[in-house]
Amino acid sequence: MLLHAKIPNRIGNLGSLVETFLPWFGLFVPVLLAGALWRRSASAPVALLLPVMVWLNLFGGLLGDKSHPGGFFTVVTHNVGAENPDPAGTARALAASGADVLALEELAQQVKGTYERELARTYPYHAVQGTVGLWSRLPLSDIRPVDIKTDVGPLGDTKPADVKMKDNRALRATVATEHGPLAVYVAHLGSVRVNPRAGFWTVHRDRGAQALGEAVAAEKIERVVLLGDLNGTEDDRAFAALDSHLRSVQDEAGDGFGFSWPAAFPMARIDQILVRGVEPGSSRVLPATGSDHLPVAAEISW
């Protein structure tokens, strides 16, 4: 746990895999304690103070609720799931969340109309680019796709622009608030896989994270919010390009660990809300919908 950053990625991305589930390494402590008690060793429980202190140093700050009052702008992000059996119910639940802006990922074309109809009354403004969308109570402008290098190489070069747009997974828009413009990014980074041959396969995710970090770095508006399914946790070194420009609302003002995936038994927070130029007020996980992800929400101010 203490030297996780030193675990190399050159063999199956082992370092990133460990960092994805790093908080769960604390479960080894009670197992070791049980072994120490079984051995009736006085020194073994004392030795266990080291991993306990390391875990608390890394994650102790996430055990409580760090939220505080003052946030006046609510943002929500949700991977709604391409196989969601109840998109209409999911849309109604999200509309009831009180979000000022709502980001949706994995927005399948066959249900896009359902979300547009169900959210229209609450959100008069919206934009969809490929499989991601942004719904807002306030006017949107300067809407454009963000190239997160989903299609690269010879195969990608052969695809026409309209084909690529159907699978676009990131967008950027300016929200006109009474406190000034807010740049909002919505992204769904590439999926990751674990298999015997490749290990923890993250090529598309890592390439997208780097490209997204470059886009945010070039953003001219001071206040920025990134919403999306990044397919990775904030402990993962792959997000260095993003973390150098953005802060996690969950880390600064969250309630607990805020795990969001899988919805049936959340084990990692891969759905993120990252910010720049604003003050995090609170962050929380919302109730499950028909998706395999949980929605996450945050209150911010500036």
Side-chain angles (χ1 to χ4, degrees):
M1 290 187 292
L2 184 61
L3 302 176
H4 64 88
K6 302 297 184 183
I7 301 174
N9 254 351
R10 59 180 175 270
I11 303 175
N13 274 341
L14 182 60
S16 284
L17 179 60
V18 168
E19 289 167 337
T20 298
F21 299 103
L22 197 59
W24 293 93
F25 278 68
L27 294 179
F28 287 105
V29 172
V31 174
L32 293 172
L33 178 60
L37 295 175
W38 178 73
R39 289 191 60 194
R40 298 181 181 178
S41 167
S43 59
V46 175
L48 281 176
L49 287 176
L50 177 60
V52 169
M53 294 304 296
V54 169
W55 190 91
L56 289 175
N57 179 64
L58 290 172
F59 304 111
L62 297 176
L63 294 177
D65 184 355
K66 300 187 294 298
S67 63
H68 50 81
F72 60 76
F73 195 84
T74 302
V75 297
V76 169
T77 181
H78 188 29
N79 179 325
V80 294
E83 299 180 0
N84 189 328
D86 185 18
T90 297
R92 288 192 294 269
L94 293 172
S97 68
D100 294 292
V101 294
L102 170 64
L104 303 185
E105 304 87 47
E106 209 167 292
L107 193 61
Q109 287 298 314
Q110 60 268 28
V111 296
K112 173 187 169 186
T114 300
Y115 285 102
E116 289 176 329
R117 287 192 301 273
E118 295 293 338
L119 296 172
R121 179 175 298 179
T122 306
Y123 300 100
Y125 309 96
H126 84 281
V128 175
Q129 300 276 343
T131 61
V132 296
L134 180 66
W135 275 258
S136 175
R137 298 179 187 271
L138 302 169
L140 300 175
S141 63
D142 198 11
I143 302 161
R144 60 180 185 266
V146 178
D147 183 8
I148 56 172
K149 311 299 183 185
T150 302
D151 287 312
V152 297
L155 180 60
D157 293 340
T158 64
K159 293 183 178 181
D162 59 335
V163 173
K164 289 185 179 182
M165 181 53 64
K166 291 179 181 178
D167 297 323
N168 181 67
R169 293 165 69 111
L171 68 80
R172 177 247 182 251
T174 299
V175 181
T177 80
E178 61 182 10
H179 301 280
L182 176 71
V184 177
Y185 287 75
V186 182
H188 183 192
L189 296 186
S191 299
V192 300
R193 297 286 186 270
V194 179
N195 61 68
R197 178 172 296 180
F200 190 44
W201 189 81
T202 65
V203 174
H204 291 164
R205 193 272 317 262
D206 295 352
R207 186 169 60 229
Q210 179 67 33
L212 190 57
E214 293 170 0
V216 170
E219 175 59 55
K220 297 297 191 294
I221 295 178
E222 176 186 358
R223 292 178 288 271
V224 177
V225 176
L226 168 60
L227 306 165
D229 173 6
L230 302 190
N231 271 310
T233 70
E234 275 295 284
D235 295 310
D236 194 324
R237 66 194 69 180
F239 296 105
L242 283 171
D243 293 339
S244 62
H245 300 286
L246 301 170
R247 302 136 58 204
S248 167
V249 176
Q250 180 66 25
D251 286 350
E252 295 196 12
D255 182 5
F257 286 91
F259 294 152
S260 63
W261 177 89
F265 186 79
M267 297 184 65
R269 184 182 180 88
I270 64 175
D271 301 278
Q272 306 288 354
I273 299 177
L274 309 179
V275 299
R276 182 186 83 191
V278 304
E279 289 301 319
S282 65
S283 179
R284 65 190 186 279
V285 176
L286 300 180
T289 67
S291 173
D292 58 340
H293 292 244
L294 297 177
V296 296
E299 283 77 40
I300 59 175
S301 61
W302 61 91

